[in-house]
């Protein structure tokens, strides 16, 4: 999973795939294929390229489909960060090597493959069946030693939600003897972030991001939870309609561009009286990017917003608010001067006919 490790000629940082030739002579990859679909084994075919003896070839999994032999190679597909199938296929359609059932989920600038380094500077025999998380990515050169594994995920108590009075947040790991580190400024936790040693006092709206670390393992996945403080009498508020709560977490006024980070919760009617209450647990909560939507409507008192659901790496992730079809891009629509009843709105018209 590439973010800063390697740039292509367009200054982008797509994920990359590395192939090693362990032989003492060059090896031709002409008509070999890479695929992320076990039902389509020749999804992307190599041009007439060769790998020199005991050398590496890096292919960008960018989706750009570039096969010029005198330039970079880019597959016609991209790799999913949360893991998917990947195979190297011979010209006759048989599989030479594959990650099956799938590559594991990777964090930014993490790599997974064959360890080639032992203790110190000792080179290990190449065993393509022994795939491990690597301590650091090394595109185009010898792979580093393998990590024991990947650290676990942090546990938040209480989980994300709205609150009225201050409380203490407890963090722990899904595994024993792991260190939890966290941030309160929205940044991704690193090995230099604040270690969790005692409950964290939560007094105002904040997004807490935490991550587990363990000696000999690569860091675990980051997890974010938002805690939004209710003002005034909002703790007594109830409605028979779903309610969306958005907090920009002190990032200032929401602007037309660019997207700025925030947190969103969706609350739906529940309980015996089927009412929505903001003090109840949300049915959906997520990190988001949010910006003003529209042009001539931006000066109206009631704003419309474009919202992107974000994963831990500020990349799009699909969500299903209110049981609608999954997508990552959503609109908080705000009719103000015209069609307040939404009679002319095509989406509402479609729903009214169902």
């Amino acid at each position: 999973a590439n973010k800063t490790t390697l740039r292509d000629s367009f200054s982008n940082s797509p994920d990359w795939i590395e192939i090693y030739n362990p032989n003492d002579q060059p090896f031709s990859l002409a008509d070999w294929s890479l695929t992320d679909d076990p039902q389509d084994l020749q999804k992307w075919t190599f041009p007439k390229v060769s790998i020199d003896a005991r050398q590496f070839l890096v292919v960008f999994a960018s989706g750009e489909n570039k096969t010029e032999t005198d330039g970079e190679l880019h597959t016609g597909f991209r790799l999913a960060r949360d893991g998917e199938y990947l195979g190297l296929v011979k010209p006759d359609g048989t599989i030479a090597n594959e990650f099956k059932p799938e590559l594991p989920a990777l964090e930014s600038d993490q790599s997974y493959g064959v360890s080639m380094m032992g203790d110190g500077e000792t080179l290990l025999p190449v065993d393509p069946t022994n795939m491990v998380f690597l301590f650091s990515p090394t595109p185009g050169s010898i792979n580093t030693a393998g990590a024991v594994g990947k650290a676990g995920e942090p546990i938040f108590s209480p989980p994300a939600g709205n609150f009225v009075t201050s409380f203490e947040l407890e963090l722990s790991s899904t595994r024993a003897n792991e260190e939890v580190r966290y941030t309160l400024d929205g940044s991704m936790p690193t090995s230099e972030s604040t270690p969790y040693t005692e409950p964290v006092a939560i007094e105002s709206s904040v997004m807490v991001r935490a991550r587990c670390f363990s000696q000999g393992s690569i860091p675990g996945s980051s997890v974010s939870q938002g805690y939004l403080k209710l003002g005034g009498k909002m703790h007594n508020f109830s409605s028979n309609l779903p309610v969306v709560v958005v907090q920009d977490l002190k990032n200032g006024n929401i602007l037309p561009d660019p997207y700025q980070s925030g947190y969103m919760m969706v609350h739906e009617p529940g309980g015996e009286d089927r009412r929505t209450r903001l003090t109840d647990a949300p049915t959906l909560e997520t990190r988001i990017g949010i910006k003003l939507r529209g042009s001539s409507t931006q000066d109206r008192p009631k704003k419309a917003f474009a919202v992107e659901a974000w994963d831990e790496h500020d990349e799009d992730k699909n969500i299903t608010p209110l049981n609608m079809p999954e997508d990552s891009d959503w609109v908080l629509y705000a009719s103000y001067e015209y069609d307040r009843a939404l009679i002319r709105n095509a989406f509402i018209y479609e729903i009214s006919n169902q």
Side-chain angles (χ1 to χ4, degrees):
N2 186 30
K3 187 172 184 180
T4 61
T5 300
L6 185 63
R7 298 279 181 177
D8 62 17
S9 59
F10 304 100
S11 296
N12 296 322
S13 54
D15 294 340
W16 48 269
I17 301 163
E18 182 184 72
I19 301 172
Y20 175 63
N21 174 17
N23 302 304
D24 292 325
Q25 59 277 337
F27 187 86
S28 174
L29 284 173
D31 297 324
W32 283 58
S33 300
L34 285 169
T35 182
D36 65 345
D37 183 354
Q39 305 303 316
D40 184 4
L41 294 181
Q42 295 179 322
K43 190 169 184 177
W44 184 81
T45 303
F46 282 92
K48 293 181 179 180
V49 295
S50 296
I51 309 178
D52 290 337
R54 303 189 180 279
Q55 295 300 312
F56 302 83
L57 175 68
V58 172
V59 181
F60 287 103
S62 65
E64 297 293 336
N65 192 28
K66 296 184 180 297
T67 57
E68 293 84 357
T69 57
D70 59 347
E72 295 174 341
L73 298 179
H74 291 247
T75 66
F77 60 86
R78 298 180 181 181
L79 296 177
R81 182 181 290 274
D82 55 358
E84 66 170 325
Y85 177 84
L86 179 63
L88 175 64
V89 184
K90 298 179 181 179
D92 63 3
T94 58
I95 298 171
N97 189 254
E98 63 182 345
F99 293 89
K100 187 179 181 180
E102 63 181 19
L103 280 166
L106 296 172
E107 302 293 322
S108 291
D109 297 319
Q110 285 184 350
S111 59
Y112 184 80
V114 178
S115 175
M116 302 175 72
M117 293 291 294
D119 295 334
E121 299 297 321
T122 304
L123 290 178
L124 298 176
V126 176
D127 180 3
T129 65
N130 184 23
M131 297 290 182
V132 295
F133 290 100
L134 301 171
F135 270 118
S136 60
T138 56
S141 60
I142 294 174
N143 291 349
T144 61
V148 174
K150 185 176 180 179
E153 291 192 359
I155 300 172
F156 293 70
S157 181
N162 302 313
F163 67 97
V164 178
T165 58
S166 301
F167 66 94
E168 290 191 333
L169 172 67
E170 296 183 353
L171 301 173
S172 59
S173 173
T174 54
R175 301 174 186 169
N177 302 318
E178 290 190 341
E179 181 182 53
V180 179
R181 290 180 178 265
Y182 68 94
T183 64
L184 303 178
D185 61 0
S187 61
M188 172 79 75
T190 69
S191 59
E192 302 299 319
S193 299
T194 304
Y196 176 80
T197 56
E198 59 183 3
V200 182
I202 304 298
E203 301 176 347
S204 59
S205 295
V206 66
M207 178 167 59
V208 183
R209 305 187 71 181
R211 198 175 184 186
C212 297
F213 296 82
S214 178
Q215 184 70 31
S217 299
I218 63 172
S221 299
S222 172
V223 177
S224 300
Q225 299 276 271
Y227 300 93
L228 311 184
K229 187 169 186 178
L230 299 175
K233 299 180 179 180
M234 292 304 296
H235 62 285
N236 293 322
F237 170 86
S238 73
S239 173
N240 63 342
L241 297 174
V243 176
V244 177
V245 180
V246 173
Q247 172 60 262
D248 70 347
L249 300 170
K250 300 180 181 179
N251 284 329
N253 294 329
I254 298 175
L255 304 174
D257 277 305
Y259 281 100
Q260 62 189 65
S261 63
Y263 206 84
M264 181 177 77
M265 299 184 191
V266 178
H267 295 263
E268 298 182 55
E272 294 182 359
D273 59 358
R274 303 302 299 167
R275 303 284 294 180
T276 297
R277 291 180 173 83
L278 300 183
T279 50
D280 291 339
T283 57
L284 184 149
E285 46 83 20
T286 180
R287 297 182 68 241
I288 61 169
I290 185 170
K291 67 178 183 178
L292 282 179
R293 179 179 183 269
S295 178
S296 60
T297 61
Q298 289 185 5
D299 293 329
R300 293 177 180 175
K302 187 177 182 180
K303 313 290 187 184
F305 299 98
V307 174
E308 288 185 346
W310 282 357
D311 65 11
E312 290 297 308
H313 304 278
D314 298 349
E315 296 182 359
D316 289 1
K317 74 171 184 179
N318 289 337
I319 58 174
T320 58
L322 308 178
N323 294 319
M324 289 189 283
E326 69 174 17
D327 207 313
S328 60
D329 297 303
W330 298 87
V331 170
L332 299 181
Y333 185 71
S335 57
Y336 185 71
E337 293 181 359
Y338 307 104
D339 194 25
R340 295 187 182 187
L342 303 178
I343 292 176
R344 297 176 179 83
N345 186 284
F347 176 66
I348 298 301
Y349 177 78
E350 175 64 25
I351 291 179
S352 70
N353 284 295
Q354 294 180 4

